[in-house]
Amino acid sequence: MTDDRRTAPTHFQISDAVRASISDDGLVLLDIQGGVVLASNSIGARIWQLVESRLDALEIASRLACDYDVPVERAQHDVAAFLAALEARGLLSAEPPC
């Protein structure tokens, strides 16, 4: 049996309560409902930009693999972990597949 969640394209919806600031130094997210501030490096900022561009998780990983010259499997793992952490905090939610 396979895990379809790993192969199905997953898009994310950004919470209306999140404010993002991206700079050369990275990403700062503010959860205005929870009063939480999170910071990430430039790779996290790039992932956030690609989420905002409506790319799915697999497309994001492919872009990062090319941009940073890393194996796509590593990029998929890292993207999944980053997005899962944001989802666990309620900053993103996975959209159901069409």
Side-chain angles (χ1 to χ4, degrees):
M1 183 156 133
T2 62
D3 185 353
D4 292 334
R5 291 174 297 167
R6 297 184 83 194
T7 58
T10 303
H11 290 89
F12 289 87
Q13 177 68 40
I14 297 170
S15 168
D16 290 337
V18 175
R19 303 297 179 265
S21 177
I22 297 173
S23 71
D24 291 339
D25 296 326
L27 169 71
V28 175
L29 297 175
L30 169 63
D31 175 357
I32 60 174
Q33 289 179 339
V36 176
V37 176
L38 301 170
S40 182
N41 61 18
S42 60
I43 296 171
R46 182 68 176 134
I47 294 170
W48 187 263
Q49 288 173 323
L50 295 170
V51 167
E52 289 180 323
S53 296
R54 304 291 303 142
L55 296 182
D56 67 47
L58 296 175
E59 292 169 325
I60 293 169
S62 293
R63 291 263 183 109
L64 291 181
C66 289
D67 292 350
Y68 296 97
D69 193 28
V70 297
V72 71
E73 295 81 12
R74 168 75 188 270
Q76 287 173 338
H77 178 268
D78 292 349
V79 166
F82 185 78
L83 295 175
L86 294 178
E87 190 174 11
R89 292 186 175 271
L91 304 178
L92 296 174
S93 58
E95 294 181 343
C98 296

